[in-house]
Amino acid sequence: MSVIENVDRRWTPTVEQLCYTGIAILAIISRLWALGDRALHHDETLHAAYSWFLYSGRGYMHDPLLHGPLLYFLGALFFFLFGDNDTTARLSAALASIALTLSPILLRPVIGRRAALMASLYLLISPVALYVGRFFRHDIFSVVCEILVFVAIVRYAADPRPRWLYLGTTALALMLTNQETTYLYILIFAFPLAILFCWQVYRPGIAIIAGLGIGLALLIFVLPGTAVVDGAHHAKRDANGLIEVAQPGPIFGWPPLETEDNGYALLVRNRADTDGDRTVWENAVRYLADIGRFINHPAIISAILLVTIGLGMFIWLIWFRCDAAGITPWDYAIGRGEPAARLLLSLGTDRRWQGALIIFATIYTLFFTAMFTNVLGLISGVAGSLLYWLAQHNVQRGSQPAHYYAVILATYEPLLWLGMIIGLPLVIQAVRQRRPEAFAVGLIAWWAIASFAIYSWAGEKMPWLTIHMTLPFTLLLAWGVSRLLELAQQQVMYWQQLWAESAVPASAEDNAVTGHTAQSGAGDLPAQNTTNQRWLDDNQAGFLGLPAGSLVGFGLLFGLIICLGFLLLSITIAAGPTSPIQPWMALLFTLTLLLLLVIGSWLRWGWIVTATLTTICLILAVGLYTVRGSIRLAYQTGDVAREMMVYTQTSPDVMRVVRRLEEAAMRRAGGTRLPLMYDNETVWLWYLRDWPGAIYVPGGRLNGPPPAEVQAVLILQENLDRYPENRTYLQGFVLQRYPLRWWFPEDQVYRISRFNGGSLLERLFRNPFDYETTAQLWRYLMFRQPPAGLGSTDFVIAVRPELARQIGIGLGGTLHMDNSR
């Protein structure tokens, strides 16, 4: 090979590869930067503590209350590799977040290179993805598995290679061992895939599938009765242990399900192998008997019979029922070469389905049994999880309204709503035109709509669950914008073709008709309208394939209008309610200018190009707001509950107090051996894990004055108030109160009719022109200033007087040298 040939064969990175490299670098920086600076959230401290228990040899038992085992094994692994601290606790989540940011690469062949790149870019800046991606919870790992399963589905449909089947199986198994949202994910995708299969193989089967779905929903959520429950949703029971009925079920008068009782859910969520000093087999029998109490209900028995009969009929009608010619619907589908039939048939090639089943079973068994140290995890992995979380639907932990996720997405991810507006019509068009990507984008659109609907319906609504909706919305936004840009480019190419055709010289036939003889150098063009020539000339392709100069001109005017609107809104809100120009007037003026710009663009370039230009400019403008929100949420106020995404967050004072105690211990004893006492608050499980001198106070009730060697006592304010003797025992200590966990003022911002005057959201819909309402909304969206103070539950640190000055005061606190607080 010559030197010239060798030079020619050298790899040169493409623009796309350079873009992904840049996104990867920024993802690494943004996910790892100051990872341990924020105080661990209440849930994070539990997850970190149980990971540390596993790492330190104390074992693990699956508990659906704290979700699946995958998170804890990852946490223990990273503690083993890098030590145990706040940073390494979040490190596995951060790495998963980096992987999520780059995961759209796998979708390039099905949604297009440009769409995949835009999806990665948006996941990089998404406030929800960034915040949850730096959060030691299960959701970031589940979402990574979700996109891998989706990749496996669409890639296997396009190219049925075993690797996609095994990738999907592995990701699904890991998802199941991580979080119970897996059941919702399976439900979301099983429905359209089953409908598509029936449409191609046996269309009457659609009625069977729909009937099964409706029947199961009625049997589980409608037909059972309701129970008499207390505030914690524990059901009252009679002398025979039966649930007292508040209202019998409709039609049949059935009693409530056992899962109406949260106490039953807590009973069956898991079981230790050695519970009650019994053998594992005895405990397995007792566990199955307790689960049988739920199954032995008319609604559940009916549901089992319905599924058995329905699926049996479905299988018989497709694979065994023959027509007069002795041919089954399945045979006809194979003969027609239906894609769904061929894909199902491919699962039997080389025993692929058996390999996938072995992979799934192996992962499930290893994790749920904690490497065979808790065999009953085989039962709790499915039965315990389903029963516990079915009960939590009625408990409705968080007590959030149905519009909760709509508010969060509008606040943090407004671009995703734009993606829905743009993407859905284009998806419908792609499906109707049977475009190559129709299957993939159709599933994405369904995924986005179904996930938003099902999470909004589910009883438990938490801010971190928003990421399960953010992912499909992001894919829909990216593909929708890419497709819109493609349509605009096709329009410009059409204009270019018109220009090229108008520039063709007159033909010899035309000359013959007119009686002219072609002369050298004549190059005559047909008679043309000068205005049309100039119009076509002005619409030559420029940047991004749009008309030359259109994006710059439109973008500059769009940007000036947005800046003017921002300035007017800021001035009118700062001027107060007496300003002659009200905020709504400034907003209306801005929207009017934007409308005039769009109309002018439409008259010049047509609606497709105008829609594309408007979308690009909106993305750039709102993208700045999105980036600002990401930075503020992840790095500035991530542990301050002025953010809706921050939910019962541990206050910065907790970490600061612990660090000051560590410094005092280093000065006095050369390590974390400062004797102290702490109560039943779970956050101390993590932050005091390395304190051999720490003494646990069960229930938070002191039995007497702390021993003379104890230098500090950490106790909840509620325990100090509940047991007045605690304050007496702490005579001689300096007491300081700090916020332990605080939360966002939900009632005053977006809940409905929870206090006099209504929430900000209520007032906005009731009177959108009210100055104070508009000003409060503006201050929150721009500066995260909520219209009310933060709620909190507090703790007290009691220290010997000589340590008081070293500990200092908390946020907004004062140091009292007496015991009056």
Side-chain angles (χ1 to χ4, degrees):
M1 181 182 295
S2 67
V3 175
I4 296 177
E5 290 176 338
N6 187 47
V7 170
D8 290 340
R9 290 175 63 89
R10 287 186 302 180
W11 174 75
T12 302
T14 64
V15 174
E16 181 188 24
Q17 291 167 339
L18 290 175
C19 289
Y20 276 116
T21 301
I23 290 174
I25 293 172
L26 291 175
I28 292 170
I29 295 173
S30 61
R31 270 59 180 175
L32 299 182
W33 180 268
L35 191 59
D37 287 2
R38 187 178 77 236
L40 258 64
H41 183 276
H42 167 67
D43 287 7
E44 286 185 296
T45 59
L46 286 174
H47 300 155
Y50 282 97
S51 297
W52 185 76
F53 293 161
L54 182 59
Y55 158 68
S56 58
R58 294 171 59 174
Y60 169 82
M61 182 176 70
H62 169 236
D63 186 351
L65 174 65
L66 298 174
H67 304 297
L70 178 64
L71 175 84
Y72 304 101
F73 280 91
L74 288 173
L77 173 64
F78 277 78
F79 288 159
F80 172 76
L81 294 175
F82 306 109
D84 54 297
N85 52 59
D86 289 4
T87 298
T88 56
R90 293 187 175 122
L91 186 55
S92 58
L95 295 179
S97 181
I98 295 169
L100 176 66
T101 305
L102 298 174
S103 62
I105 293 176
L106 298 173
L107 291 172
R108 290 162 66 249
V110 289
I111 66 172
R113 293 184 174 184
R114 186 162 49 202
L117 184 60
M118 285 192 287
S120 284
L121 181 60
Y122 188 82
L123 289 172
L124 173 68
I125 67 171
S126 164
V128 171
L130 179 60
Y131 177 74
V132 176
R134 293 163 51 88
F135 200 82
F136 191 45
R137 275 196 59 88
H138 301 73
D139 301 273
I140 187 62
F141 304 104
S142 290
V143 170
V144 171
C145 292
E146 286 176 13
I147 195 169
L148 290 178
V149 172
F150 176 74
V151 167
I153 291 172
V154 295
R155 295 295 295 270
Y156 191 80
D159 181 17
R161 298 185 183 182
R163 63 185 180 189
W164 300 120
L165 175 63
Y166 299 146
L167 171 67
T169 303
T170 302
L172 185 63
L174 291 174
M175 194 195 317
L176 183 64
T177 62
N178 182 62
Q179 197 174 19
E180 293 77 13
T181 54
T182 306
Y183 300 111
L184 298 180
Y185 182 84
I186 292 173
L187 180 63
I188 288 171
F189 277 94
F191 179 76
L193 293 178
I195 295 298
L196 182 61
F197 175 83
C198 292
W199 183 262
Q200 294 185 359
V201 177
Y202 183 67
R203 293 186 182 180
I206 295 176
I208 298 176
I209 297 297
L212 282 175
I214 295 172
L216 288 175
L218 291 174
L219 287 169
I220 296 175
F221 297 106
V222 177
L223 294 179
T226 57
V228 178
V229 296
D230 59 18
H233 219 277
H234 289 272
K236 292 186 62 177
R237 294 180 181 266
D238 59 20
N240 297 320
L242 300 177
I243 295 177
E244 293 189 10
V245 179
Q247 183 175 352
I251 303 178
F252 304 111
W254 284 340
L257 293 172
E258 283 291 325
T259 48
E260 277 284 301
D261 180 12
N262 195 38
Y264 173 78
L266 296 172
L267 171 69
V268 299
R269 72 189 192 198
N270 61 359
R271 200 66 56 89
D273 287 355
T274 57
D275 187 47
D277 293 327
R278 292 180 289 269
T279 67
V280 63
W281 304 113
E282 291 173 327
N283 281 323
V285 171
R286 295 171 66 93
Y287 193 12
L288 292 173
D290 287 335
I291 293 172
R293 288 165 50 190
F294 171 81
I295 297 175
N296 190 30
H297 185 282
I300 304 304
I301 294 174
S302 300
I304 294 172
L305 291 175
L306 177 66
V307 172
T308 303
I309 295 172
L311 290 181
M313 182 183 300
F314 185 79
I315 293 171
W316 178 78
L317 288 172
I318 294 177
W319 279 276
F320 296 98
R321 186 180 67 87
C322 301
D323 61 8
I327 303 176
T328 66
W330 175 254
D331 295 329
Y332 280 116
I334 293 295
R336 294 193 304 268
E338 295 289 356
R342 288 190 290 105
L343 288 174
L344 185 60
L345 195 63
S346 70
L347 297 179
T349 304
D350 300 326
R351 298 182 177 179
R352 292 181 187 179
W353 71 270
Q354 294 173 332
L357 184 61
I358 291 172
I359 292 172
F360 188 92
T362 301
I363 294 174
Y364 178 93
T365 301
L366 289 177
F367 278 102
F368 276 119
T369 65
M371 308 303 167
F372 302 103
T373 60
N374 179 217
V375 177
L376 293 185
L378 288 171
I379 304 174
S380 66
V382 172
S385 297
L386 279 174
L387 294 181
Y388 177 78
W389 285 103
L390 184 61
Q392 301 317 300
H393 175 73
N394 295 321
V395 174
Q396 296 187 355
R397 296 197 308 178
S399 302
Q400 301 294 355
H403 58 269
Y404 178 64
Y405 293 118
V407 172
I408 285 188
L409 288 173
T411 302
Y412 291 99
E413 310 278 3
L415 279 177
L416 297 185
W417 289 117
L418 175 65
M420 181 68 76
I421 295 171
I422 295 172
L424 284 182
L426 294 175
V427 167
I428 294 172
Q429 182 192 59
V431 172
R432 293 183 63 182
Q433 295 176 351
R434 297 188 178 183
R435 293 179 57 83
E437 71 272 24
F439 174 68
V441 299
L443 273 185
I444 290 172
W446 167 258
W447 183 10
I449 295 171
S451 62
F452 179 77
I454 202 166
Y455 280 102
S456 296
W457 164 81
E460 177 161 334
K461 301 178 182 68
M462 295 296 177
W464 41 79
L465 293 174
T466 311
I467 196 171
H468 297 274
M469 291 154 271
T470 300
L471 175 59
F473 271 85
T474 297
L475 298 176
L476 182 61
L477 169 68
W479 180 82
V481 174
S482 175
R483 176 62 180 155
L484 186 62
L485 183 57
E486 180 184 351
L487 291 174
Q489 290 170 342
Q490 291 175 358
Q491 181 68 54
V492 175
M493 289 175 63
Y494 173 72
W495 293 335
Q496 289 177 313
Q497 184 178 359
L498 287 180
W499 171 249
E501 292 175 354
S502 68
V504 174
S507 66
E509 181 179 352
D510 294 332
N511 291 333
V513 171
T514 58
H516 290 89
T517 303
Q519 301 293 328
S520 176
D524 294 334
L525 293 174
Q528 300 177 45
N529 186 294
T530 305
T531 302
N532 289 341
Q533 292 182 23
R534 186 168 57 251
W535 184 87
L536 289 170
D537 191 37
D538 289 342
N539 287 278
Q540 295 296 302
F543 182 64
L544 294 179
L546 299 172
S550 61
L551 186 57
V552 174
F554 186 93
L556 286 176
L557 290 175
F558 189 95
L560 287 174
I561 294 172
I562 293 296
C563 291
L564 177 62
F566 181 85
L567 183 62
L568 285 175
L569 276 170
S570 300
I571 292 173
T572 54
I573 289 175
T578 59
S579 171
I581 301 177
Q582 292 297 298
W584 67 267
M585 298 178 184
L587 181 60
L588 180 61
F589 177 70
T590 304
L591 293 176
T592 301
L593 291 179
L594 288 175
L595 180 60
L596 291 174
L597 175 63
V598 169
I599 292 174
S601 174
W602 171 57
L603 292 175
R604 180 174 183 182
W605 293 304
W607 74 269
I608 294 179
V609 172
T610 299
T612 305
L613 292 172
T614 305
T615 299
I616 292 174
C617 291
L618 278 174
I619 288 174
L620 293 176
V622 182
L624 291 176
Y625 172 83
T626 302
V627 171
R628 181 172 179 263
S630 293
I631 294 173
R632 180 167 49 195
L633 176 61
Y635 310 115
Q636 297 176 357
T637 55
D639 55 3
V640 181
R642 296 202 304 267
E643 301 277 0
M644 289 185 194
M645 284 294 297
V646 174
Y647 188 84
T648 58
Q649 168 66 38
T650 305
S651 81
D653 274 322
V654 172
M655 184 189 294
R656 192 186 62 79
V657 164
V658 172
R659 297 293 176 258
R660 293 292 177 86
L661 288 172
E662 289 174 351
E663 293 172 4
M666 291 295 293
R667 293 191 186 98
R668 291 170 173 265
T672 53
R673 293 190 295 272
L674 186 70
L676 56 82
M677 303 176 73
Y678 65 96
D679 65 359
N680 55 327
E681 168 49 46
T682 57
V683 71
W684 309 128
L685 290 176
W686 169 251
Y687 280 112
L688 299 181
R689 66 193 182 282
D690 290 328
W691 288 68
I695 302 171
Y696 173 61
V697 180
R701 186 172 188 174
L702 298 173
N703 295 323
E709 67 273 12
V710 171
Q711 298 297 304
V713 177
L714 298 169
I715 190 168
L716 289 172
Q717 179 66 41
E718 61 187 62
N719 287 332
L720 203 61
D721 297 336
R722 183 182 295 119
Y723 308 114
E725 61 271 24
N726 283 349
R727 194 177 294 274
T728 302
Y729 294 148
L730 293 176
Q731 291 288 340
F733 284 79
V734 175
L735 273 62
Q736 177 61 57
R737 180 173 177 171
Y738 300 92
L740 174 73
R741 283 187 293 272
W742 44 16
W743 51 83
F744 185 76
E746 299 165 345
D747 288 343
Q748 292 83 357
V749 177
Y750 59 79
R751 292 188 188 274
I752 303 299
S753 300
R754 290 298 185 93
F755 70 104
N756 293 333
S759 65
L760 175 59
L761 184 63
E762 282 184 286
R763 289 183 280 121
L764 181 65
F765 281 103
R766 190 184 305 136
N767 186 6
F769 303 112
D770 177 64
Y771 166 80
E772 188 60 33
T773 300
T774 307
Q776 288 181 359
L777 178 64
W778 176 261
R779 293 188 190 108
Y780 183 74
L781 292 178
M782 291 295 109
F783 310 110
R784 292 298 188 263
Q785 296 177 9
L790 308 182
S792 71
T793 179
D794 302 338
F795 77 102
V796 169
I797 178 172
V799 297
R800 302 292 182 182
E802 57 270 23
L803 283 181
R805 295 298 177 184
Q806 293 184 33
I807 303 303
I809 61 174
L811 297 179
T814 56
L815 185 63
H816 290 267
M817 298 299 291
D818 57 41
N819 295 312
S820 60
R821 296 185 64 187

